[in-house]
Amino acid sequence: MIPLDKAVVARLESFGERFEILVDPNQAAFVRQGQKVDIEDVVAALNIFSNASRGTRASDESLEKVFHTTAFDAVARRIIEKGEIHLTAEQRKHMIEEKRRQVITFISRNAVNPQTGHPHPPQRIEMAMEEARVNIDPFKHLDELVKETVKALRPLLPIRFEELRLAIRIPADYAAKAYGDIAAGSTMEKDEWQKDGSWVCVVRIPAGIQGEFYDLINRLSKGEGQVKILNQVY
């Protein structure tokens, strides 16, 4: 459980009843996004309140009436998923700024300008988001926020998501050490060790990180690695 001084109220009102629990706002956001989180890691107390500030607990009768159960985990999860999370102004600002940064980074790394084939710089995406007045809900999943943001940006920026399929060959002297970093930085389709000890593979990467990925290959292979673009995937 989390400390009480880090908790905020999550509230759900239904059928004339009010239910409140004390939660960590960041962990509660993960629950709302469908991630598997232990409820005990989200809450500051294993109690369902009708008024948390007064310490008044909800009755079993009211819990049965609304949730058809008195089980804490089930009720608490429902309150988090369907209720309101009461953030302080500073908490909301911080969470929105963090989510906005994640959205900008994702679009910059995974999308390109179809007119040039190059990614949009983060600053350009941020300015377009401000112009389009994109609202960031701190409790929404990143995937959903990206879809909403791209839809809002398309009238302002030519934008397209695409991946590159690359064939890579790493010489024997660097292959073993390079394997892990390349696998972590891409989606590997197939790989094979050659008789001379070199390693070859076919991977997919977001088009927006092409330059960054080439730098990685050069660093891992001391400039001796070979990369060939096979095709673009839209």
Side-chain angles (χ1 to χ4, degrees):
M1 288 187 288
I2 66 164
L4 277 171
D5 60 354
K6 293 185 178 180
V8 298
V9 172
R11 177 183 298 136
L12 176 67
E13 296 186 13
S14 180
F15 293 97
E17 304 284 355
R18 181 172 69 177
F19 306 94
E20 297 180 345
I21 56 175
L22 300 172
V23 301
D24 179 301
N26 294 302
Q27 292 295 322
F30 294 147
V31 174
R32 282 201 172 188
Q33 293 162 18
Q35 298 186 34
K36 293 183 178 180
V37 182
D38 190 328
I39 288 297
E40 287 197 24
D41 293 333
V42 183
V43 300
L46 299 178
N47 295 309
I48 308 295
F49 301 96
S50 60
N51 189 315
S53 64
R54 296 179 181 175
T56 305
R57 296 187 184 186
S59 67
D60 287 348
E61 291 79 7
S62 64
L63 293 172
E64 286 285 359
K65 172 184 173 182
V66 175
F67 303 103
H68 308 294
T69 181
T70 59
F72 177 81
D73 279 21
V75 174
R77 192 173 296 275
R78 177 79 177 277
I79 293 172
I80 295 170
E81 291 174 344
K82 302 298 183 181
E84 299 178 359
I85 310 294
H86 292 259
L87 302 175
T88 66
E90 187 62 29
Q91 287 171 328
R92 177 169 290 276
K93 179 182 178 182
H94 175 76
M95 290 179 70
I96 288 175
E97 288 178 349
E98 176 63 18
K99 271 295 176 64
R100 182 182 293 273
R101 183 192 61 78
Q102 292 176 13
V103 169
I104 292 170
T105 299
F106 185 93
I107 294 174
S108 178
R109 290 173 62 90
N110 290 275
V112 298
N113 181 342
Q115 298 174 354
T116 65
H118 299 302
H120 290 292
Q123 296 86 349
R124 185 178 301 165
I125 295 170
E126 185 173 12
M127 290 175 62
M129 288 175 65
E130 292 176 0
E131 185 177 348
R133 297 182 179 179
V134 174
N135 292 317
I136 298 295
D137 184 335
F139 292 106
K140 285 188 176 181
H141 195 280
L142 179 61
D143 290 347
E144 187 176 357
L145 290 173
V146 167
K147 290 178 182 178
E148 293 175 355
T149 301
V150 169
K151 182 179 179 180
L153 295 187
R154 282 212 159 103
L156 303 174
L157 286 179
I159 190 168
R160 181 174 68 197
F161 284 85
E162 65 180 44
E163 292 183 315
L164 297 177
R165 292 182 72 246
L166 307 175
I168 302 170
R169 180 184 179 277
I170 304 295
D173 289 345
Y174 314 104
K177 291 184 178 180
Y179 180 94
D181 286 341
I182 293 174
S186 65
T187 300
M188 193 174 301
E189 293 187 350
K190 58 182 178 180
D191 71 298
E192 184 177 304
W193 292 91
Q194 305 297 294
K195 292 181 179 179
D196 63 358
S198 63
W199 178 59
V200 296
C201 62
V202 174
V203 302
R204 297 196 320 273
I205 64 168
I209 67 165
Q210 181 179 357
E212 179 183 330
F213 191 76
Y214 282 11
D215 289 342
L216 173 68
I217 298 299
N218 286 329
R219 177 171 56 81
L220 293 173
S221 66
K222 307 297 184 183
E224 297 181 27
Q226 299 173 349
V227 182
K228 179 183 179 181
I229 297 177
L230 299 178
N231 62 290
Q232 295 175 315
V233 182
Y234 300 106

